Amino acid sequence: MRKEVAMMPDRMKNYVDTMSDDDVLILGIPEEEETTKGIISPPPKKKRNIWAICSIALMGVIGIISIGLFCVHRPMGNNNSRDNYVLSDSVHTENSKDIILENCGFSYVATKDTIIGKTALKLFWPMGGSIKLHVGELPKNNLSIILAARAADYRADNGEIVGAFVQEGELRARGNSKLGFCAVIGNEVILGMSKETPFFERAVERSGYFFRQYALVHDGAQGEQTPKGQSIRRALCYSGEGLFIAESRERISYHDFSEALIRMGVQEAIALVGSKEMALYEDVYGTRHVADLPHDKGMTESYIVWVKDL
């Protein structure tokens, strides 16, 4: 075996190797001897203790900050507690995303303000409840409703609902000028973008709900062509974290709103009728926030609502 030759102190030049293969040799100079010769001047124990304390304290501060940032930025919908309904993918086709809702007790709406790029958003996460469509003036005194937002558009000439609309299996309107759709059949919610879809007929057959709106996001990308102009935007969204409603805090275009939703990780989103503020929601403390929105006389209003299962 080739031996490496290293520089050794003068006092080791006459060293005779008497070691066997099983022996261990510790090279170096005893600490006491090194200290007396001035080769090493170890810092006083007090200083080492101070540095150790400072290091531990710094690590503790970093840990606390990390936990705080995690809690602040944690998606509010990713909560598997008893208070949530559980959301899971059922079937993902080219045209739709299926979501299963399972009620787990206490129902309320969690809210969160966030900024995506330059777009300020407010998110409404329904925790529990079942989804229905309501036609007509919103019954604000109905305490079973924990979240309500305007759903389909209505025509300016006759006030009728735009696009196909089904309420508890009853056909209220026809049309497919908008490609986005939402179907609610039992505890299943389907969001998608398609001119023709079997979920419309299924909603009629199974006493479900169905309405059409602009598809802002489809399969994680920009959806259909939308009108230009700026307004307060609102959308029913699905991401890997759950089903929620997002609204812009300022007037923006559909395009910019869609881009913000995509950057946030939304996979499917259809527009909802914009208004000055959310029509109604109930927070975790039981406080009901009800907007003073005027009822449009002669127009057929429609709402998507989350209702407590009493």
Side-chain angles (χ1 to χ4, degrees), residues 99-263:
I99 308 146
I100 304 299
L101 305 183
E102 181 180 340
N103 286 290
C104 301
F106 183 52
S107 304
Y108 65 97
V109 177
T111 62
K112 179 180 180 181
D113 292 298
T114 186
I115 297 178
I116 307 298
K118 296 181 179 180
T119 304
L121 301 174
K122 185 166 186 175
L123 311 180
F124 299 83
W125 293 88
M127 302 297 187
S130 56
I131 302 176
K132 299 180 179 181
L133 293 180
H134 173 81
V135 177
E137 187 173 359
L138 180 67
K140 299 176 182 178
N141 295 327
N142 185 342
L143 300 182
S144 68
I145 299 175
I146 61 170
L147 177 63
R150 294 280 294 274
D153 281 317
Y154 51 77
R155 296 176 53 173
D157 56 350
N158 59 14
E160 295 299 321
I161 294 173
V162 175
F165 194 99
V166 178
Q167 182 189 25
E168 294 183 349
E170 180 185 353
L171 181 62
R172 302 293 298 263
R174 290 182 177 274
N176 53 9
S177 58
K178 299 177 181 180
L179 301 182
F181 67 86
C182 171
V184 182
I185 304 169
N187 67 337
E188 185 179 16
V189 179
I190 305 97
L191 296 179
M193 182 180 78
S194 178
K195 190 173 183 179
E196 302 291 339
T197 172
F199 295 110
F200 169 69
E201 288 80 7
R202 196 175 301 178
V204 173
E205 295 169 357
R206 302 185 184 180
S207 299
Y209 304 87
F210 185 97
F211 74 99
R212 283 193 176 274
Q213 262 288 4
Y214 292 113
L216 303 183
V217 180
H218 177 55
D219 205 15
Q222 282 278 352
E224 64 183 298
Q225 286 287 107
T226 52
K228 296 181 179 180
Q230 296 188 339
S231 183
I232 298 294
R233 303 300 184 187
R234 193 169 285 114
L236 177 63
C237 309
Y238 171 76
S239 71
E241 313 302 337
L243 191 69
F244 63 97
I245 292 178
E247 71 175 14
S248 66
R249 306 304 286 160
E250 299 177 350
R251 297 169 63 89
I252 60 173
S253 66
Y254 271 130
H255 180 272
D256 291 344
F257 187 46
S258 299
E259 286 292 330
L261 296 178
I262 292 170
R263 290 182 62 180

Side-chain angles (χ1 to χ4, degrees), residues 32-45:
E32 296 81 2
E33 186 178 345
E34 292 174 341
T35 304
T36 56
K37 291 187 177 183
I39 297 175
I40 298 176
S41 298
K45 290 185 178 181

